[in-house]
Amino acid sequence: MTRVWQWNRPVTVREVLEDLQQERSIAYTTVMTVMDNLHQKGWVRREVDGRAYRYTAVSTRAAYSAALMNEAWSRSDNPAAALVAFFGMMSAEQREALQDAVRMVSPNPAETTPGDPAEPTAGAAGDDAPADDATRESGR
């Protein structure tokens, strides 16, 4: 998968084989079997190109990593403790990247503030006049 993600284009078994052979001896049939297994698992899709297949990643490496982290986190019996432990393992650079990521997915405070007309408030279910606390508590 690393080669498929790095190249970010359809690849053949032969291309992957030739690249891997620069590092170690490996058989064509081994690479072909692995690529077929990746296809069977849904990690790559393939299209016929002459007598060969061209394989393309179904998702990005980042999306795959995110899915793995989400799966592990959701299986925890204490998700908050798991996150704290995970954050504790991070380097300073990783924590900085995490803070950047949180900023990217969080609403911009300058764009939306509490009470802003773009943000619905409790009790504003179609009323033009804001409901006061006594009205909200009594349900009127």
Side-chain angles (χ1 to χ4, degrees):
M1 277 308 299
T2 299
R3 277 13 182 231
V4 178
W5 282 323
Q6 284 175 341
W7 296 335
N8 195 28
R9 61 172 175 79
V11 300
T12 64
V13 170
R14 176 75 50 203
E15 290 173 314
V16 175
L17 172 73
E18 289 172 358
D19 192 57
L20 289 172
Q21 284 180 333
Q22 293 177 17
E23 299 169 13
R24 65 182 187 272
S25 178
I26 189 167
Y28 180 91
T29 54
T30 301
V31 177
M32 184 176 64
T33 299
V34 169
M35 297 300 286
D36 186 59
N37 288 342
L38 291 171
H39 177 255
Q40 296 299 322
K41 290 180 179 185
W43 291 26
V44 294
R45 64 172 110 12
R46 66 185 180 193
E47 294 179 11
V48 175
D49 183 14
R51 293 179 48 203
Y53 287 112
R54 287 209 174 264
Y55 294 87
T56 308
V58 170
S59 68
T60 65
R61 182 180 220 144
Y64 173 71
S65 297
L68 282 179
M69 289 187 291
N70 186 55
E71 182 180 343
W73 181 58
S74 66
R75 289 185 178 180
S76 173
D77 59 348
N78 188 341
L83 283 175
V84 169
F86 180 63
F87 297 156
M89 295 177 197
M90 292 178 149
S91 68
E93 294 82 19
Q94 290 171 321
R95 284 191 298 275
E96 189 175 320
L98 174 65
Q99 289 172 339
D100 291 343
V102 168
R103 279 191 288 273
M104 283 193 271
V105 298
S106 297
N108 185 345
E111 293 176 8
T112 307
T113 57
D116 188 34
E119 182 176 320
T121 58
D127 291 357
D128 287 335
D132 61 14
D133 290 339
T135 305
R136 266 192 228 113
E137 288 176 14
S138 69
R140 290 186 264 150

